[in-house]
Amino acid sequence: MVPSRFLYVVRGAQRRPVGAGEGDRVGWRLVGSNHRELGRSAEMYAGFAECRAALLTLRERIGDARVLLTTTESAGGWSWRLEIDGRAAANAGRPYQRQRDCQYNLGQFLNAVPVAELTEPTPPRTKDERAVRSRAAAEDRGVTRRAGSGAR
C-alpha cells in the first residue's frame, strides 16, 4: 500500500518546485494512500524553502492546532480549517455535503500529518529527457518504428 504523502504545488507554472521561478508561489497538498486529497496549505509561499518550513511546523505542532468547522452559505457545504497561533495552517481541499463527512476527512488529515512521507522535489525534465523517456516506454510496450515508416 502506498503511504500518505505531501506533494508540492507551484501556482502559475507547469513545473516542479525546484524549477520555481521568481514570482511563482509554492504550496503543499496531503494525499492519502488512495491518492485522494486530504487537505492543503492554507496559503501559498514565496518559495520551496518557506513552504517546507511551514509544513514542518504543522507536523511538529499539529496537536496545538485549533480546528474550525464552517459552512458555505451559497452551496451549503461543510469545510474545515486548522489554525496555529491564530494563523491559518491548513484547510480542506473541497467542501463536503455532510458535516460528518467533513469531520471524517479532518480526522483522516490529522492522523496522516505526523506519518505522511515528506517528498523532495525533483528538477523538471528537459524536452530531450522527456523524449528519451517516451521512446524507452514505447519500446518497452513493443511499439517500434522503422526508419522511414512515419504516418503520411
Side-chain angles (χ1 to χ4, degrees):
M1 180 187 270
V2 176
S4 299
R5 66 198 180 287
F6 288 99
L7 304 174
Y8 299 97
V9 180
V10 178
R11 180 174 285 169
Q14 294 296 325
R15 53 185 182 245
R16 296 186 178 133
V18 164
E22 191 153 332
D24 290 337
R25 308 290 287 167
V26 181
W28 56 263
R29 291 184 180 172
L30 175 60
V31 295
S33 58
N34 61 357
H35 307 291
R36 290 195 180 204
E37 184 177 331
L38 299 175
R40 60 177 63 180
S41 56
E43 59 185 271
M44 300 296 281
Y45 301 93
F48 172 71
E50 186 180 337
C51 179
R52 187 166 174 85
L55 181 53
L56 292 173
T57 299
L58 174 69
R59 282 187 89 160
E60 291 169 9
R61 306 225 18 233
I62 192 72
D64 301 332
R66 178 177 169 218
V67 176
L68 300 166
L69 286 178
T70 60
T71 59
T72 56
E73 302 241 351
S74 60
W78 287 85
S79 188
W80 58 262
R81 184 176 77 217
L82 294 182
E83 291 181 352
I84 297 176
D85 296 334
R87 185 173 180 179
N91 55 29
R94 66 179 183 87
Y96 296 87
Q97 289 184 338
R98 295 177 192 86
Q99 181 181 7
R100 71 173 182 232
D101 294 336
C102 182
Q103 289 173 318
Y104 177 80
N105 171 261
L106 172 62
Q108 294 296 308
F109 178 84
L110 293 173
N111 289 332
V113 166
V115 296
E117 282 183 2
L118 288 172
T119 58
E120 291 296 327
T122 57
R125 290 189 182 106
T126 65
K127 275 186 168 181
D128 292 338
E129 289 171 328
R130 288 192 300 267
V132 167
R133 184 177 173 148
S134 178
R135 278 193 299 272
E139 289 172 4
D140 287 346
R141 291 190 311 267
V143 178
T144 58
R145 268 186 143 165
R146 286 190 224 160
S149 64
R152 297 179 197 252

